[in-house]
Amino acid sequence: GTDTLALTGGGLTLDLAGLAPGRLQGIEVIDLTGKGDNRLVLSAASLLALSDTGSLRIDGDAGDRVSFADSVWTRASISAGYVTYSNGGASVQVAAAVTVDTSLLITPLDAVKAEGDSGGTPFTFTVSRSGDTAGAGSVVWSLAGIAPSFPNGADFVGGVLPGGTISFAAGQASAILTIGVAGDRLAEPDESFRVVLSAAQGGTIALGSATATILNDDTGFSIAAADASHAEGNSGVTPF
């Protein structure tokens, strides 16, 4: 038979992405209808742990919502009143009346490396949209330091902490964010920072920060006294 999990209240959020694996299994249908305005948060891993078939059907009404907590879910097809979204081996059929959120996520692509001795070294991140990507959208990004040692403006190309806005065209699922780290010959500790997303337009932020580390590749030199405190003597040369 078909096993169904139904929400009976209103204004509820069922966060399957945050549920420990194995806590809920063998479900083929989730009914969000209840008393209205319910929300389901889902990831590919949580769906595969939940369903024996790797597929899940979502029923509900206008006001109910589905949010994806990972990337990248793509709209595959629409049939018999259901819209199908897929992510690898996971697929979900969402009733056409249910709103599928556009979820924004940032993940490091190539963001742990040496800074180099000169010029700029690119640190890259992927900013993705999951779910309904039919419309255009945008999101603001900025940097935040991570204690105990974090970079300042001089550590980046241009001499200031970078930031900006990423814009998505209708149907665009992802964009590459490149940050130029300035190379130098100064010996300093490894420095870490976060890229933080905010002020999303046309979507909601599901995973809003990613970490990068600038690895020191310079060697410092120091001088210390080894034998530098004794009498000068009466003649000849006294080594210090």
Side-chain angles (χ1 to χ4, degrees):
T2 299
D3 294 317
T4 300
L5 173 64
L7 301 186
T8 58
L12 303 175
T13 296
L14 175 59
D15 185 1
L16 292 181
L19 194 65
R23 291 289 302 274
L24 190 62
Q25 294 176 306
I27 301 296
E28 287 80 36
V29 177
I30 294 180
D31 187 351
L32 298 177
T33 307
K35 295 181 179 179
D37 298 332
N38 291 318
R39 179 183 179 218
L40 173 67
V41 181
L42 190 65
S43 66
S46 63
L47 188 153
L48 293 172
L50 177 72
S51 170
D52 297 331
T53 64
S55 180
L56 185 67
R57 192 182 83 214
I58 308 298
D59 292 327
D61 294 328
D64 296 325
R65 298 162 50 207
V66 172
S67 300
F68 294 116
D70 58 349
S71 61
V72 170
W73 289 84
T74 57
R75 179 169 169 161
S77 62
I78 181 168
S79 177
Y82 289 87
V83 182
T84 299
Y85 294 85
S86 61
N87 184 348
S91 67
V92 58
Q93 295 78 47
V94 183
V98 175
T99 296
V100 175
D101 291 335
T102 303
S103 300
L104 288 144
L105 310 93
I106 183 168
T107 52
L109 183 61
D110 187 12
V112 179
K113 59 171 73 174
E115 63 186 356
D117 292 331
S118 62
T121 300
F123 281 56
T124 54
F125 305 80
T126 301
V127 182
S128 306
R129 297 199 301 168
S130 272
D132 186 358
T133 60
S138 65
V139 67
V140 173
W141 65 274
S142 60
L143 298 193
I146 300 176
S149 180
F150 50 87
N152 55 38
D155 291 300
F156 297 93
V157 174
V160 296
L161 288 175
T165 300
I166 296 173
S167 297
F168 294 91
Q172 182 181 355
S174 64
I176 301 300
L177 171 61
T178 301
I179 296 174
V181 170
D184 60 38
R185 294 180 180 275
L186 299 175
E188 51 194 344
D190 294 345
E191 298 171 312
S192 296
F193 63 91
R194 288 190 184 92
V195 182
V196 181
L197 302 183
S198 63
Q201 299 292 322
T204 59
I205 297 172
L207 181 60
S209 69
T211 300
T213 300
I214 305 170
L215 302 176
N216 175 59
D217 58 354
D218 300 300
T219 302
F221 296 92
S222 62
I223 185 170
D227 185 16
S229 180
H230 49 82
E232 62 184 356
N234 295 321
S235 63
V237 176
T238 300
F240 282 68

